[in-house]
Amino acid sequence: MNTGRMTGTTNFIDANPLEITRQLLDRGQERYQIYCLPCHGPAGDGKGITGKYGMISMANFHDERLVKMTDGELFNTMTSGNRGSRN
C-alpha cells in the first residue's frame, strides 16, 4: 500500500509521481464528490452540509498549513485520516 512516503524513509514525497491525465482528474473529482464534498464542501472551504447540522467541523483546504503540505503528506492524510497523517 502506498503511504505517500519515500520508500524506506519517514519522509513524505514532494510531488505526485502519477501523470496527470483527464481520466485521473475526472476520477479524483468523482471521488471528491462522493467522499469529501459532504464535509469539506464544493469549494473545499470546510463548509459542507455536515457542518450545517453541527455534526462535525472540517478543515478548510485553503488554510496555509494545508496548502504547504507535500503531495505525499496530503495523500497520507486522505488515506489514513487526519490523525494518521503525522505517524
Side-chain angles (χ1 to χ4, degrees):
M1 180 175 140
N2 192 331
T3 64
R5 298 178 194 275
M6 289 182 242
T7 304
T9 74
T10 59
N11 300 327
F12 291 107
I13 61 168
D14 289 327
N16 181 352
L18 300 176
E19 178 184 357
I20 305 302
T21 64
R22 170 54 42 201
Q23 182 179 9
L24 185 65
L25 290 172
D26 289 344
R27 180 177 165 86
Q29 182 178 27
E30 175 190 39
R31 295 294 190 253
Y32 183 87
Q33 290 173 347
I34 294 169
Y35 299 108
C36 309
L37 188 138
C39 298
H40 292 286
D45 57 6
K47 296 181 181 175
I49 191 75
T50 58
K52 292 180 182 178
Y53 292 102
M55 297 162 90
I56 51 177
S57 175
M58 276 296 137
N60 178 345
F61 295 145
H62 306 280
D63 285 347
E64 185 176 356
R65 175 184 68 83
L66 298 178
V67 171
K68 289 183 174 183
M69 288 174 118
T70 66
D71 289 353
E73 191 170 3
L74 290 169
F75 177 88
N76 187 55
T77 301
M78 287 184 275
T79 302
S80 305
N82 185 40
R83 302 296 176 246
S85 66
R86 302 283 180 200
N87 294 335

